[in-house]
Amino acid sequence: MRVTFTVNGREESADDVWEGESLLYVLRERLGLPGSKNACEQGECGSCTVYLDGTPVCACLVAAGQAHGRRVRTVEGLAEGGRLDPVQEAFMECGAVQCGFCTPGLLVQAHDLLSRVARPSDPEIREALAGNLCRCTGYEKILDAVRLAAERRAEQGASREEAGA
């Protein structure tokens, strides 16, 4: 079967997709987007989290055919115009990236949280990231990064408001 969907703003197609093939496999192996990681293949670790029509999902649990005609945004698609998203920048600056295996899923989940809650509390951050496992950082640097990204997004929003006033 042929699967056609929009990935990071571009229409993409994959041919000869078999029924049980995951969205994660298609993204990584057929479309050359290795950002989302293949770790547990059971939806337990969150490393493969992507947006599907604006909702974060574990790409390993989504059959590729379910994405037909839909919008997918991967960690590669968070950056816009050659500039990293504030969440991506904050993760690097705070040292929240170590081995990097969990990072793509954490970035997508943190990005989603900050699109819904401008200044999340620590319990809100922990709840939002609860489905993402990290074995390297101990999570404190990840929390620091989300806090920093929230602060920067708020500053950017205030700057835009002042410029428009």
Side-chain angles (χ1 to χ4, degrees), residues 40-120:
C40 73
E41 293 187 82
Q42 297 176 12
E44 296 291 329
C45 71
S47 295
C48 65
T49 304
V50 299
Y51 284 110
L52 181 60
D53 289 338
T55 301
V57 299
C58 289
C60 70
L61 297 179
V62 176
Q66 290 176 293
H68 184 74
R70 299 173 77 183
R71 293 175 296 111
V72 174
R73 188 174 183 193
T74 68
V75 68
E76 291 95 341
L78 296 183
E80 291 183 12
R83 182 169 169 83
L84 293 177
D85 184 86
V87 174
Q88 292 169 310
E89 289 176 348
F91 266 65
M92 288 189 325
E93 288 178 37
C94 291
V97 176
Q98 288 192 13
C99 84
F101 224 77
C102 66
T103 306
L106 285 164
L107 287 168
V108 172
Q109 287 289 32
H111 183 272
D112 179 63
L113 170 64
L114 296 178
S115 72
R116 295 180 289 106
V117 182
R119 293 217 184 239

